[in-house]
């Protein structure tokens, strides 16, 4: 359905979303073959209970308002929760619902209620516990208040640290520990873990517009105000994740140090849990993990194990994350790594030093031979014989490659144009693709530019130059475009060397590039008219194949521009990404690859003083 701000969501009726989501969850088995049972919707309650529960051990019950999935229903299963009691979105379940769950699962061993520190949850779960005790049931309750965002808050909120209580208490209960033992360890974990998060946006309720708020540090999982709003204009561009992680870690460690139960660091160090609050992509979670493990303060603290990064205790689709710290000892670590049924629990991973694969021994040798020449010879004789054979890595560092100032000027113009066009090409590609053409071509340009700055390009030898460009594009450009253009330049370099110096320069260039394009078409499968970069490249090469002995850069640029603009009228693509895009997304927009080629030839024409003969 559409929310009031026009954004699509995969929902039906907002009031039915919790029940529908739980019904889907209850239809799946855990890997161990067990599953869960769902209370009848007609009861007005939403209970999720293990279907293999025999009341032999201490029962663990948790819950609260929905909207934090997979918490809490996703953690019902062997080795974790026995039951979850779910309320409406961000609303505590009723006393009757909690009491019904207690009656359903509590045996002689008793039951432990694990409750996040929110007023509604404390009251409703607390009253249910009192009534259950009146009925003769053994019930204990542990309140989790792991939030450290507000130093003077007498009632810290319960956040993602609740899940660590689930896991550790669940493992102890599965081993047959008594209610007293399970409750004592659960309280110790609740008292010693610390959580703090930040978010760029709050979660969006189904069918409603997202509330517009500034990014905040320390906000709650219901969108409650945080410790402070963040001024993003003060964050260095290109370092947002690093800056956000530093803010969260600094505030988290300050709050963690204030906790009496966490002041003495056990010998086993700390566990770090990284929780996606609902709106982070997998790549963003990977960046957050990297930033956290590299943070000097966390390294000094001693992070020996990690849970996540995964969505664990979310806030609908809030774009943010939280970090939780828990001091470890052997007993807690043993409980955390114990097997459990729920697939929502991602497991505990040990932290190891970062190591890199050494590929020096498999570094490919350049297929084009590189000549070692004195600097004077390199510049005075650009056609010097290159039959001296390949050089070693050490020789290559001292080699002076043949140069050509005009070629360097043209190449620089092309690279600068591609870098300057990154955003424009990305926007054009976003209309019909995934918006990365500009960044892909910019990556290739940067790879070639780096080789130029390191004096690794033989601008005075066309064969060597094209071969090196092909290698750099294959390594640094990425995507299918990088491989295809690498094929073009590599094959063109091969044909250039095969022709020898006896052929006219213009004819030699045309033959080499035409051969390179043919090999690119052979592997890529595209042809003229398929709405690809070929629709700009081939017309430019047609101009090169004229009777004149001069290279008319302006005419080539004009042909490439006309070819690129013609792709806006092509509503059917037969190769490349356009082949998968509906016609209405193609009409009226140039193919981004063809547009990039046209801009390259226009850059070449701009720096060419006159036709080259």
């Amino acid at each position: 359905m559409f929310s009031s701000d026009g954004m699509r969501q995969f929902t039906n009726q907002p009031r039915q979303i919790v029940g529908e989501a739980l019904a889907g969850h209850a239809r799946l088995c855990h890997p161990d073959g067990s599953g869960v049972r769902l209370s009848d919707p007609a009861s007005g309650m939403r209970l999720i209970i293990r279907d293999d529960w025999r009341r032999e051990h201490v029962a663990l019950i948790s819950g609260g308002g929905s909207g934090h999935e997979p918490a809490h229903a996703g953690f019902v299963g062997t080795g974790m929760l026995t039951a979850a009691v779910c309320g409406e979105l961000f609303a505590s379940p009723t006393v009757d619902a909690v009491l019904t769950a207690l009656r359903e699962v509590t045996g002689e061993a008793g039951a432990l209620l694990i409750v996040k520190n929110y007023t509604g949850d404390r009251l409703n779960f607390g009253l249910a516990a009192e009534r259950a005790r009146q009925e003769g049931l053994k019930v204990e309750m542990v309140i989790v208040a792991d939030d450290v965002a507000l130093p003077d808050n007498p009632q810290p909120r319960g956040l993602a640290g609740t899940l660590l209580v689930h896991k550790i208490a669940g493992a102890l209960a599965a081993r047959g520990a008594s209610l007293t033992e399970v409750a004592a360890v659960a309280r110790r974990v609740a008292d010693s873990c610390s959580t703090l998060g930040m978010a760029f946006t709050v979660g969006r309720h189904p069918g409603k517009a997202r509330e517009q708020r500034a990014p905040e540090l320390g906000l709650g999982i219901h969108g409650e105000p945080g410790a402070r709003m963040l001024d993003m204009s003060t964050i260095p561009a290109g370092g947002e994740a690093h800056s956000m992680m530093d803010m969260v870690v600094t505030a988290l460690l300050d709050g963690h140090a204030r906790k009496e139960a966490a002041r003495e660091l056990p010998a086993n160090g700390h566990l770090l849990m990284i929780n996606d609050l609902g709106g982070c992509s997998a790549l963003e979670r990977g960046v957050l993990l990297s930033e956290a493990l590299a943070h000097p303060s966390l390294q000094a603290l001693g992070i020996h194990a990690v849970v996540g990064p995964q969505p664990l205790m979310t806030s609908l689709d809030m774009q943010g994350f939280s970090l939780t710290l828990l001091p470890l000892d052997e007993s807690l670590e043993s409980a955390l790594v114990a097997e459990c049924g729920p697939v929502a629990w991602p497991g505990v991973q040990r932290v190891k030093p970062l190591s890199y694969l050494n590929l020096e021994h498999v570094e490919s040798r350049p297929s084009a031979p590189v000549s070692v020449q004195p600097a004077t010879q390199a510049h005075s004789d650009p056609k010097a014989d290159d039959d001296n054979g390949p050089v070693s890595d050490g020789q290559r560092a001292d080699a002076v490659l043949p140069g050509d100032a005009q070629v360097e000027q043209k190449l620089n113009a092309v690279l600068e144009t591609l870098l300057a066009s990154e955003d424009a090409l990305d926007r054009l590609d976003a209309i019909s693709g995934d918006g990365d053409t500009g960044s892909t071509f910019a990556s290739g340009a940067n790879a070639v530019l780096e080789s130029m700055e390191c004096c690794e390009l033989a601008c005075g030898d066309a064969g060597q130059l094209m071969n090196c460009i092909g290698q750099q594009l294959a390594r640094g450009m990425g995507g299918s475009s990088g491989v295809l253009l690498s094929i073009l330049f590599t094959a063109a370099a091969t044909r250039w060397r095969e022709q020898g110096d006896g052929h006219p320069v213009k004819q030699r260039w045309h033959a080499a590039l035409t051969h390179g394009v043919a090999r690119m078409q052979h592997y890529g499968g595209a042809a003229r008219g398929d709405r690809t970069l070929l629709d700009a490249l081939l017309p430019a090469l047609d101009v090169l194949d004229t009777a004149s002995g001069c290279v008319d850069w302006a005419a080539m640029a004009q042909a490439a521009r006309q070819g690129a603009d013609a792709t806006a009228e092509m509503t059917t693509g037969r190769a490349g990404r356009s082949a998968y895009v509906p016609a209405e997304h193609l009409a009226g927009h140039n193919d981004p690859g063809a547009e990039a080629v046209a801009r390259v030839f226009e850059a070449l024409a701009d720096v060419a003083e006159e036709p080259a003969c």
Side-chain angles (χ1 to χ4, degrees):
M1 68 170 293
F2 288 93
S3 65
S4 58
D5 60 358
M7 299 298 291
R8 292 182 176 90
Q9 294 176 298
F10 291 107
T11 63
N12 297 310
Q13 296 298 319
R15 293 183 63 85
Q16 298 174 0
I17 187 171
V18 174
E20 290 177 341
L22 291 176
H25 175 70
R27 293 176 64 90
L28 299 180
C29 291
H30 296 145
D32 63 3
S34 65
V36 297
R37 292 179 294 138
L38 177 63
S39 58
D40 189 337
S43 69
M45 305 175 189
R46 295 194 174 95
L47 311 182
I48 292 282
I49 297 176
R50 284 176 54 178
D51 65 4
D52 61 347
W53 184 243
R54 300 294 180 265
R55 300 189 183 185
E56 297 172 347
H57 298 140
V58 173
L60 302 184
I61 303 174
S62 191
S66 297
H68 307 301
E69 288 70 23
H72 294 276
F75 299 105
V76 174
T78 307
M80 291 193 76
L81 295 179
T82 311
V85 190
C86 305
E88 295 292 343
L89 287 177
F90 294 172
S92 179
T94 65
V95 174
D96 287 342
V98 179
L99 181 58
T100 299
L102 282 166
R103 291 168 176 163
E104 184 70 21
V105 302
T106 306
E108 292 185 3
L112 176 66
L113 296 176
I114 302 171
V115 182
K116 300 189 300 299
N117 193 27
Y118 293 96
T119 301
D121 289 349
R122 286 200 320 272
L123 295 179
N124 291 341
F125 278 80
L127 180 53
E130 293 299 324
R131 291 173 60 181
R133 293 187 186 110
Q134 284 184 340
E135 297 178 9
L137 300 180
K138 294 170 56 178
V139 180
E140 291 283 348
M141 189 165 89
V142 170
I143 296 176
V144 185
D146 53 318
D147 182 23
V148 295
L150 304 171
D152 301 323
N153 188 356
Q155 292 290 345
R157 299 167 292 200
L159 300 175
T162 309
L163 307 180
L164 300 179
V165 181
H166 292 172
K167 181 64 183 70
I168 292 170
L172 295 178
R175 296 171 185 168
S178 69
L179 177 58
T180 300
E181 293 170 328
V182 174
V185 174
R187 288 192 180 95
R188 175 188 165 201
V189 173
D191 291 343
S192 60
C193 67
S194 303
T195 298
L196 189 134
M198 70 79 53
F200 291 130
T201 65
V202 295
R204 177 168 49 119
H205 285 249
K208 297 182 180 180
R210 190 188 305 275
E211 181 185 357
Q212 299 303 310
R213 284 164 50 179
E216 294 179 65
L217 178 71
L219 74 173
I221 56 174
H222 307 101
E224 306 97 323
R228 70 174 188 269
M229 291 187 294
L230 303 177
D231 182 3
M232 296 304 296
S233 66
T234 64
I235 305 300
E240 290 83 357
H242 179 80
S243 297
M244 294 300 101
M245 182 60 68
D246 184 60
M247 289 183 187
V248 172
V249 169
T250 300
L252 173 63
L253 292 179
D254 286 346
H256 191 57
R258 293 193 298 268
K259 286 203 164 188
E260 293 184 5
R263 285 177 181 170
E264 293 186 5
L265 177 64
N268 288 22
H270 273 72
L271 175 133
L272 173 69
M273 182 164 66
I274 306 177
N275 173 48
D276 174 3
L277 286 166
C280 297
S281 68
L283 280 174
E284 287 174 296
R285 293 196 294 267
V287 172
L288 292 173
L289 173 63
S290 178
E291 289 288 349
L293 294 181
H295 197 284
S297 297
L298 289 180
Q299 289 182 340
L301 183 66
I303 302 300
H304 292 180
V306 171
V307 174
Q310 287 293 327
L312 299 166
M313 177 79 74
T314 64
S315 180
L316 297 171
D317 62 348
M318 179 183 285
Q319 189 185 9
F321 70 96
S322 67
L323 301 182
T324 301
L325 287 173
L326 173 67
L328 293 175
D329 62 17
E330 291 184 3
S331 63
L332 296 184
E333 195 163 359
S334 174
L336 284 165
V337 301
E339 292 186 2
C340 64
V343 295
W345 176 253
V348 177
Q349 300 180 80
R350 302 290 295 181
V351 177
K352 70 177 188 67
L354 179 62
S355 60
Y356 293 100
L357 184 65
N358 184 358
L359 298 177
E360 291 183 359
H361 62 289
V362 294
E363 178 73 20
S364 61
R365 297 301 183 189
S367 56
V370 179
S371 300
V372 181
Q373 307 169 7
T376 54
Q377 181 183 354
H379 290 279
S380 63
D381 188 9
K383 296 183 180 179
D385 182 20
D386 61 2
D387 292 333
N388 296 331
V391 298
S392 67
D393 289 340
Q395 289 175 307
R396 190 178 296 109
D398 298 326
V400 178
L401 301 177
D404 187 310
Q406 290 186 356
V407 173
E408 290 182 16
Q409 181 188 23
K410 291 182 174 66
L411 187 54
N412 266 314
V414 168
L415 300 179
E416 291 172 1
T417 295
L418 290 175
L419 293 173
S421 301
E422 179 177 358
D423 291 341
L425 293 175
D426 277 346
R427 288 193 299 270
L428 185 60
D429 188 33
I431 298 171
S432 58
D434 55 5
D436 68 346
T437 293
S439 55
T440 299
F441 274 85
S443 295
N446 276 318
V448 177
L449 186 61
E450 184 177 344
S451 289
M452 286 189 67
E453 293 173 347
C454 296
C455 301
E456 295 175 353
L457 292 185
C459 290
D461 185 306
Q464 289 188 33
L465 176 62
M466 288 188 289
N467 194 70
C468 186
I469 290 176
Q471 291 179 353
Q472 295 307 316
L473 294 182
R475 294 172 180 169
M477 186 168 177
S480 57
S481 298
V483 178
L484 288 170
L485 290 175
S486 178
I487 291 172
L488 187 159
F489 281 103
T490 302
T494 301
R495 179 54 54 91
W496 179 274
R497 290 194 298 272
E498 289 174 350
Q499 294 179 94
D501 295 335
H503 294 75
V505 173
K506 180 184 174 184
Q507 178 183 336
R508 194 176 180 187
W509 270 112
H510 180 265
L513 293 175
T514 300
H515 177 69
V517 170
R519 299 314 296 165
M520 181 174 68
Q521 290 180 275
H522 172 76
Y523 291 106
R528 192 192 301 250
D530 283 349
R531 205 178 191 280
T532 69
L533 60 81
L534 290 175
D535 292 303
L537 180 57
L538 289 175
L541 293 185
D542 291 342
V543 173
L544 188 61
D545 188 26
T546 58
S548 169
C550 301
V551 177
D552 191 340
W553 293 106
M556 294 178 70
Q558 182 180 10
R561 170 50 59 195
Q562 291 173 348
D565 291 345
T567 62
E569 306 301 321
M570 300 176 186
T571 57
T572 302
R574 292 184 293 273
R577 186 175 298 141
S578 297
Y580 311 104
V581 179
E584 58 268 23
H585 292 282
L586 301 177
H589 306 288
N590 286 10
D591 174 75
E595 177 66 24
V597 171
R599 294 186 181 209
V600 164
F601 278 101
E602 288 167 346
L604 289 170
D606 286 343
V607 296
E609 297 179 357
E610 57 185 20
C613 301

